[in-house]
Each structure stands twice: as structure tokens, then as C-alpha cells.
Amino acid sequence: MGSVSTEQSPKPHDALQAAVFKARTEYIIANPNSSQAYTESCQYMPGGNTRTILHTSPFPLTFKQGCGSSLTSLDGDTYLDFLGEYTAGIYGHNNPTIRAAIDAALTNGWNFGGTNIYEKTLAKLVCQRFSPTMELVRFTNSGTEANMCAIAAAIAWTGRKKILVFFHGYHGSTISFHSAADKMNLPHEWLVGTYNDIDLTNALLEGLPPGSLAAILVEPMLGSGGGIPGSEVFLRYLRSTATHLGALLIFDEVMTSRLSYRGLGYKLGIRPDLMTLGKWIGGGMTFGAFGGRRDIMEMFDPRSGRLSHAGTFNNNIVSMAAGCAGCELLDEERINKLNVLGEYFKELIEAVLEHHGLCEITRGTSSADSSENAGTIARPPKMWISGIGSILVIHFGASGKDLLLELFYHHMLQERIYLAQRGFMALSIEITKKDTQCFVIAMDGFISRYKQLIAKP
């Protein structure tokens, strides 16, 4: 049996703990139906959970409906959704175009056990959109699977086994480097480097036996790792290093493919050998994809290739039909509009942080974002925002940053705004300028109320 009281701290002794304790208590009182749903779930799932990231303290909200930019909980409260299903929900909730495409597809049945009319159309859309990198593509059920397959392709192509990745990189539930030794990771020969640090990465690679590196797997911007953009210099270094060592460069663009019409790598002018996709490209349905150079991907050609790639639902009707509709809906104009809104939103937040003296921003052009108004942190901040375009992350710099993130999360819920407890946000096309302004007003209220706790050393 689960119990909502297990995470509620004993009576705290300092002001931050006291504030969090109070916020949790108010949350429990305000959400009895979600509390009951959580308790019942704990009877059948460990911790009432089948997706770790969705757990929050003291228990997660349970939602019963989504429409446009809003979510409604079991307790009848409606929230502005700034989480955007961790980038997969770019279309908002119950998008009529995607709903119509799914309904039409299901009319003719599903689970054919054969090819269908949608997969070749989606493959064409994906290859054309992410040209010139994506010469050939294969579909999977998730971004995790896509990265697993890309790694397998690199090992088969090079005949080598070592894979360079980076601390705080996240490429799926079995390819995660938030800690030094994640017990869920696949047993590949990982080399874990430091993101955006050429010197340390070079030193790590110099220690390798010649001809042993199969691939470099990297996100052009750390997504789950905090919305940290890769510097253009660093990413170009990885491109030239991979070429020099005879290894493959794999860009994980499961998240960042939405930051520019052809992906963030294309925007930076850097072409990887392979590219992985997921999240939003399947129309918000179960989806992943990997692809790239024709000569590498031809290893998977069943007529002559040497690699087999199976998967019952790789070409499932729902994801293929939704993906076709979604890719056509999110044309270049709409993607650009969404990311411009994200930059506007980021500037609003930075202005509030500067006004309160929590973060000093130096204006200029950042490496991964050519926006004229992009900024960098001038001195160690107490609270700041990172990210590019429509993917943004709120951070705290104090020693109690995890408690501050939780306190911020609960405050925003009280203001009927939903985001990740870790501060992650991904805007959907349903979010408006007015919505971003509502968020900033709520955030300003949080800072005004808790400024002494935020500014505490």
C-alpha cells in the first residue's frame, strides 16, 4: 500500500524546509482525489509509478482531460500546461488535425502485420525535412530505442566498441548519464566526458587505444540535463574529432529537432553521420526514428544488408498517421513562430530575475542560438533560466536548490500553472503570449514571497 505521508518531512527547523512542508500540506489538502488515485496505484505499481520522471513530492497529480493548452486534474482544477509532455506535446492537447488523421486511419483497421500506406509517406516527410543528414530512416517505438539502434549501427559499421557520451546527457532510460554509474544503463564500453569542455574531452580520447572509438553520441543541447546548449566550437570539435578518428558522430535530436525546422544541428551548420528523433514527430504518439548516411543505413536493407531491426509496432498505424499529420501541421513558419515565442518568454523571465537582482544577464549572441537577444550569465546567479527557443529550464543556485525547485513547483500549481518539478518546460503551439505573461506574473509573485530563501547563500 502507498501512503502520501511517507515523503512529508518531519517538522522542519529552518525556513526553507518549513515553507516546503507547508506547501506539501496545502497540496495534500487541495488534491484528495489525486491522493487517492496515487494510493490505489501503489497497490499495483512500485511507488504507484510506471514512468519515474512523473513522480513528484508528495504524490503526482492525476489528470482526466487535456484540451488545447490546458490540463484538468481529478480534483477538477485546470492548469496551463507549460510542461508539454517533455517536448512530445508540441501540438497541445487533443489537436483536431491529428485527431482527425488518427480517426480516419483507424476506420480501416490496425495491426495489419504488414506495411501500410502511412509509413512511406512519413519516411519521405522526415527525410525531406531533415535533409541533408537524413538520407535514409528507420522507425522505432521511442527515442530510447532510436539511440540504441544508432549505437548498434555505429558498432557494426566501425567494428569498434567504445562510445563517447557526456555527463548529464540523457539518451533514454537505458542510456543515461546523470550519475557516474547508472545501474539501468546498457553494458556498452562507455567513455563519459564533460559537456562543452574540449580540453577534458581531448584528454579522455588521447588515453584510448588507437582505432577503438565507434561513436560520439551527443545532444546539441542537453535536454533532461538542464537545457544547456552545446557551444558551436565544442560541437564542431566533436565533428572533426569523429572524422579524424574514423568514428561516427551521432546527434541525439529527440528533443532539439523542434528548435529549428531542420533540427538544431542543421541550424548550426554541423552534419552528423547519424541522427535520432522521437517525441513530437510521431504526432505525440509512441515514436522514435534513427537515420543518416545512406551507406551506413543500408546495413539494415533486408535485401542485402547485414543488420536486422525488428519491432512489432515500428510502423503502427496510429503513430504513422499521426506523424504524417503532425509533420505537415508543423511547417517551417509554425516552428519558427513557436521558438520566437519561447525566446520572448525567456526574455520576460530574465527581466524579472534581473529586476530582483537574482541573475545578471550579459546580452549577446550565444553559440547555439543566433538570436540577437540571447544572453549569458555574467556572475553566479541565485535563480536563472537556460535553454533555447521553446525548451527552457528554471534553475536555482542556492545550496537548497532541490527544495527551492519543489517550492517553486507547488507555488506555480497554486497559480494553476503546470511544469516539471525539476523546472523543465516545453511550449506547445497552443501557448500564447498572454499565457507566458501569466506565467511570469506568477513567478514574480513567487520571488517576492520567497526572495530571502532564494537569495540565501
Side-chain angles (χ1 to χ4, degrees):
M1 288 288 290
S3 171
V4 298
S5 64
T6 56
E7 288 192 50
Q8 188 169 345
S9 307
K11 281 217 165 181
H13 299 291
D14 68 43
L16 178 54
Q17 286 182 326
V20 171
F21 183 87
K22 183 174 184 291
R24 287 186 184 181
T25 301
E26 292 172 349
Y27 176 85
I28 292 168
I29 294 169
N31 297 284
N33 294 333
S34 287
S35 175
Q36 180 63 27
Y38 171 70
T39 299
E40 292 173 357
S41 294
C42 286
Q43 298 179 58
Y44 310 107
M45 294 182 286
N49 178 274
T50 192
R51 183 181 174 195
T52 302
I53 194 62
L54 298 185
H55 183 73
T56 58
S57 300
F59 57 83
L61 289 174
T62 295
F63 294 107
K64 64 180 181 180
Q65 184 180 18
C67 183
S69 62
S70 68
L71 286 167
T72 302
S73 74
L74 278 182
D75 295 282
D77 295 315
T78 299
Y79 300 83
L80 266 176
D81 180 14
F82 276 82
L83 176 56
E85 180 54 304
Y86 291 92
T87 74
I90 194 170
Y91 306 98
H93 300 286
N94 206 9
N95 181 278
T97 299
I98 293 176
R99 177 63 181 270
I102 293 172
D103 288 346
L106 292 179
T107 298
N108 295 316
W110 56 96
N111 293 118
F112 294 161
T115 57
N116 59 68
I117 62 173
Y118 299 102
E119 60 199 85
K120 63 176 171 42
T121 301
L122 183 56
K124 180 179 179 180
L125 288 169
V126 169
C127 286
Q128 289 179 340
R129 185 181 195 120
F130 297 106
S131 173
T133 294
M134 196 70 79
E135 294 179 347
L136 292 174
V137 66
R138 288 184 74 90
F139 299 133
T140 66
N141 294 282
S142 67
T144 301
E145 284 186 26
N147 282 309
M148 289 167 58
C149 290
I151 290 168
I155 291 172
W157 178 258
T158 62
R160 305 169 181 179
K161 294 185 177 180
K162 296 190 183 298
I163 310 294
L164 175 62
V165 291
F166 298 92
F167 284 117
H168 305 297
Y170 179 82
H171 309 283
S173 60
T174 57
I175 317 172
S176 175
F177 302 94
H178 290 306
S179 61
D182 194 305
K183 293 181 174 61
M184 283 287 289
N185 277 349
L186 295 168
H188 287 301
E189 295 184 19
W190 306 111
L191 294 169
V192 186
T194 302
Y195 196 73
N196 275 340
D197 194 314
I198 292 175
D199 291 339
L200 288 178
T201 302
N202 205 43
L204 184 64
L205 292 174
E206 285 178 349
L208 287 179
S212 62
L213 185 68
I216 300 172
L217 174 61
V218 66
E219 299 165 272
M221 179 184 78
L222 293 178
S224 177
I228 308 301
S231 74
E232 185 174 338
V233 172
F234 178 70
L235 295 173
R236 289 193 181 280
Y237 158 78
L238 296 182
R239 172 65 279 177
S240 62
T241 297
T243 301
H244 175 70
L245 296 177
L248 300 187
L249 178 64
I250 306 170
F251 271 1
D252 177 348
E253 293 228 39
V254 169
M255 286 191 176
T256 61
S257 55
R258 55 178 275 163
L259 297 180
S260 181
Y261 181 70
R262 299 188 189 278
L264 189 53
Y266 181 88
K267 183 178 181 180
L268 295 170
I270 303 171
R271 183 176 177 179
D273 300 295
L274 294 174
M275 177 183 190
T276 59
L277 301 168
K279 304 287 189 185
W280 65 275
I281 292 174
M285 305 298 123
T286 301
F287 180 82
F290 68 103
R293 279 171 40 188
R294 179 175 295 273
D295 54 348
I296 298 170
M297 292 301 296
E298 281 178 344
M299 291 192 296
F300 294 96
D301 186 336
R303 298 169 300 179
S304 58
R306 66 180 195 257
L307 295 181
S308 175
H309 167 228
T312 301
F313 298 106
N314 288 351
N315 66 332
N316 77 84
I317 289 286
V318 173
S319 295
M320 297 297 101
C324 290
C327 284
E328 291 181 341
L329 176 64
L330 287 178
D331 58 17
E332 189 165 6
E333 180 181 0
R334 188 161 292 193
I335 280 285
N336 289 342
K337 181 180 178 181
L338 176 63
N339 286 300
V340 167
L341 176 63
E343 291 300 326
Y344 166 80
F345 182 36
K346 185 180 180 184
E347 288 170 16
L348 289 182
I349 291 174
E350 288 176 340
V352 171
L353 296 175
E354 286 186 287
H355 172 74
H356 286 281
L358 297 175
C359 185
E360 180 182 336
I361 306 297
T362 300
R363 300 296 168 189
T365 302
S366 74
S367 57
D369 178 14
S370 59
S371 168
E372 290 294 324
N373 294 320
T376 57
I377 305 301
R379 57 186 172 81
K382 300 297 183 181
M383 182 178 179
W384 76 99
I385 185 168
S386 65
I388 299 171
S390 58
I391 301 177
L392 301 167
V393 184
I394 297 287
H395 303 264
F396 291 91
S399 57
K401 60 183 179 181
D402 290 339
L403 287 175
L404 284 169
L405 279 168
E406 183 180 344
L407 187 61
F408 180 65
Y409 170 74
H410 283 298
H411 176 89
M412 297 304 277
L413 287 181
Q414 290 177 347
E415 298 294 328
R416 299 295 180 258
I417 290 172
Y418 183 64
L419 73 162
Q421 184 169 310
R422 69 187 189 197
F424 185 92
M425 298 178 286
L427 306 188
S428 75
I429 59 174
E430 297 290 341
I431 292 291
T432 66
K433 271 193 173 184
K434 182 178 179 181
D435 294 333
T436 65
Q437 292 161 359
C438 288
F439 183 103
V440 171
I441 291 170
M443 188 191 76
D444 184 68
F446 169 80
I447 295 171
S448 297
R449 183 177 180 181
Y450 298 109
K451 189 171 182 178
Q452 285 188 328
L453 298 179
I454 301 168
K456 185 178 178 181

